[in-house]
Amino acid sequence: FTLSWVSFLCMDMICKRFGPKASVKVSILALALNLAVSGLFWLVSLAPGMWGAYYDTGSLEVNAALNATIGGSWYVVLGSSLAMLCSSFVNSHINQFIGHLTDNGSFATFALRSYVSTGIGQFVDNLVFAVVVSHTFFGWSWVQVLTCSITGALAELLCEIALSPVGFRVASGWEREGVGEKYVQAHAADLEARM
């Protein structure tokens, strides 16, 4: 909940300038990096020896808990990876759909497409994670799964709302400065060829 909204704001900015395909590609790259870091942490947790906290407490349980925390839990990594993959696709495509209907380059249309796509995307993100991890492994009821998904989506949307003016300025700056112009033109030509 603390950082998830940042990735959604980034997707909205990328989507505004480069389209949904680019946004999903960046999300997949970020997911691959996240999985690589998780794998590295897991390897660190296998290293022999004791953590500093073991020497403070003399407890093997503390050392084992730290190894489990650093190494992560496979089902949490799986759940969060699947949730991010699904939600990035949903967020980016809803954002682009609304943008095709309304975008006139103003903050109001950026906000509309970002807030709607983020609200729905965050709900999907939280729902997939809650079903895969919380319901399956921790026995959450469906009421808990849905309540957490809705509450989390609203909280994360409020965070994005607070910083979306910054995201709009950055995305508008990319347009003014012609950042990625070759990609944008190639993407537009590709879309025209399909129609």
Side-chain angles (χ1 to χ4, degrees):
F1 292 142
T2 306
L3 297 175
S4 180
W5 64 272
V6 174
S7 58
F8 279 81
L9 180 58
C10 291
M11 284 188 282
D12 293 338
M13 293 163 49
I14 292 168
C15 199
K16 177 175 177 17
R17 174 64 180 147
F18 302 104
K21 188 176 179 181
S23 180
V24 171
K25 283 181 180 179
V26 170
S27 296
I28 291 170
L29 174 63
L31 175 60
L33 292 172
N34 185 37
L35 290 174
V37 169
S38 294
L40 182 63
F41 282 170
W42 175 74
L43 286 174
V44 167
S45 75
L46 298 178
M50 300 296 180
W51 292 100
Y54 166 78
Y55 298 106
D56 291 340
T57 65
S59 171
L60 287 175
E61 287 88 19
V62 169
N63 200 64
L66 284 169
N67 277 330
T69 300
I70 297 295
S73 301
W74 67 269
Y75 53 88
V76 173
V77 173
L78 171 70
S80 64
S81 299
L82 184 60
M84 189 61 202
L85 189 61
C86 293
S87 63
S88 67
F89 184 84
V90 168
N91 179 75
S92 296
H93 285 83
I94 289 174
N95 185 301
Q96 187 67 19
F97 176 74
I98 294 170
H100 279 307
L101 298 176
T102 64
D103 199 2
N104 62 10
S106 70
F107 174 71
T109 57
F110 176 80
L112 175 67
R113 65 192 282 185
S114 295
Y115 300 166
V116 172
S117 66
T118 294
I120 295 169
Q122 286 285 13
F123 174 76
V124 168
D125 186 68
N126 294 331
L127 181 66
V128 170
F129 182 83
V131 169
V132 171
V133 177
S134 303
H135 177 71
T136 305
F137 292 98
F138 300 130
W140 278 20
S141 70
W142 287 108
V143 171
Q144 288 173 304
V145 166
L146 291 173
T147 301
C148 178
S149 299
I150 292 167
T151 305
L154 291 174
E156 292 158 338
L157 177 58
L158 290 174
C159 291
E160 182 170 331
I161 288 170
L163 285 178
S164 61
V166 174
F168 175 72
R169 281 195 296 274
V170 170
S172 296
W174 290 341
E175 289 177 20
R176 276 192 313 278
E177 295 166 14
V179 173
E181 192 62 36
K182 287 182 182 179
Y183 177 87
V184 172
Q185 289 174 353
H187 181 66
D190 185 42
L191 283 176
E192 260 184 49
R194 287 188 208 174
M195 294 180 172

